[in-house]
Amino acid sequence: DSGVTQTPKHLITATGQRVTLRCSPRSGDLSVYWYQQSLDQGLQFLIQYYNGEERAKGNILERFSAQQFPDLHSELNLSSLELGDSALYFCASSVGGMGYNEQFFGPGTRLTVL
Amino acid sequence: DQQVKQNSPSLSVQEGRISILNCDYTNSMFDYFLWYKKYPAEGPTFLISISSIKDKNEDGRFTVFLNKSAKHLSLHIVPSQPGDSAVYFCASGGVYYGGSQGNLIFGKGTKLSVKP
């Protein structure tokens, strides 16, 4: 158990809909990262927040947005969903803001868009 | 454009033998390298890391080797155990990547099967 929690575990929705994925980092970690893993793909970095502020952005679509709240939990919002958005979404956390240091991953949320 | 490549999607090894997983990277600005292990239905778990000032780091049965001139790193597992069967991801990062603070770039993973 990494100490990072993600809800929900599974999400099934239809094209055009909007969903919110939630992540609680390990106690004491200030950074939260979001990754997408599609079929046969590695982990694609989406976005990083550090202590409530956006720190780095990766291959995140404009239809996607995220935020980190004062209690440090984070939410990833995916809107106007398309079939290709079906993937595993992982959240990770780390103590510091340096994104290349060791990150602890949650169990992921499996999103299925029908 | 894949900056971190794991060219072997799968590897099968007999229990007790050595497992060698390989990873190549293209960005010379990467200065920190990590290996993660992932079991089905779980998130990746950090295994071992190495910074660019070293060429070897060892932790129990796991050793990571870094060849900076070849932009290549490898993970050795000796001896391999059936419980090591998982997908292994190589990840690279650095302080400066594309002009901004670096984040981890992951390879696509290698599925290791250790047969009893």
Side-chain angles (χ1 to χ4, degrees), chain B:
Chain B
D1 179 26
Q2 263 188 284
Q3 296 199 56
V4 177
K5 295 180 185 179
Q6 294 178 256
N7 291 319
S8 298
S10 62
L11 175 68
S12 184
V13 170
Q14 207 66 35
E15 181 180 5
R17 306 294 289 267
I18 184 172
S19 295
I20 300 176
L21 297 104
N22 294 302
C23 177
D24 297 297
Y25 62 96
T26 57
N27 191 336
S28 57
M29 296 297 287
F30 288 152
D31 60 5
Y32 197 68
F33 306 89
L34 305 90
W35 284 95
Y36 280 82
K37 179 169 74 172
K38 186 182 180 304
Y39 294 117
E42 295 182 13
T45 302
F46 169 75
L47 198 56
I48 192 169
S49 64
I50 188 168
S51 75
S52 59
I53 61 172
K54 293 186 171 183
D55 55 18
K56 177 182 172 181
N57 190 25
E58 198 170 346
D59 184 2
R61 296 185 297 114
F62 303 90
T63 303
V64 57
F65 295 91
L66 176 63
N67 182 334
K68 289 188 290 293
S69 60
K71 295 193 181 70
H72 176 85
L73 64 154
S74 61
L75 175 68
H76 293 211
I77 307 174
V78 184
S80 302
Q81 299 173 354
D84 296 329
S85 297
V87 177
Y88 289 78
F89 290 98
C90 163
S92 305
V95 177
Y96 297 106
Y97 164 61
S100 62
Q101 186 168 70
N103 275 277
L104 293 180
I105 308 296
F106 283 82
K108 291 189 178 184
T110 296
K111 185 175 182 179
L112 174 66
S113 299
V114 180
K115 299 187 186 310

Side-chain angles (χ1 to χ4, degrees), chain A residues 3-25:
Chain A
V4 178
T5 59
Q6 288 187 249
T7 56
K9 277 196 129 169
H10 302 276
L11 200 47
I12 300 174
T13 188
T15 54
Q17 295 299 303
R18 182 179 191 276
V19 297
T20 298
L21 312 183
R22 184 189 165 102
C23 168
S24 292

Side-chain angles (χ1 to χ4, degrees), chain A residues 51-73:
Chain A
N51 205 19
E53 295 195 1
E54 183 183 303
R55 175 61 70 97
K57 230 172 182 176
N59 300 321
I60 187 167
L61 299 172
E62 284 191 15
R63 301 183 285 109
F64 295 1
S65 64
Q67 54 183 328
Q68 186 179 28
F69 295 87
D71 67 352
L72 301 177
H73 91 271

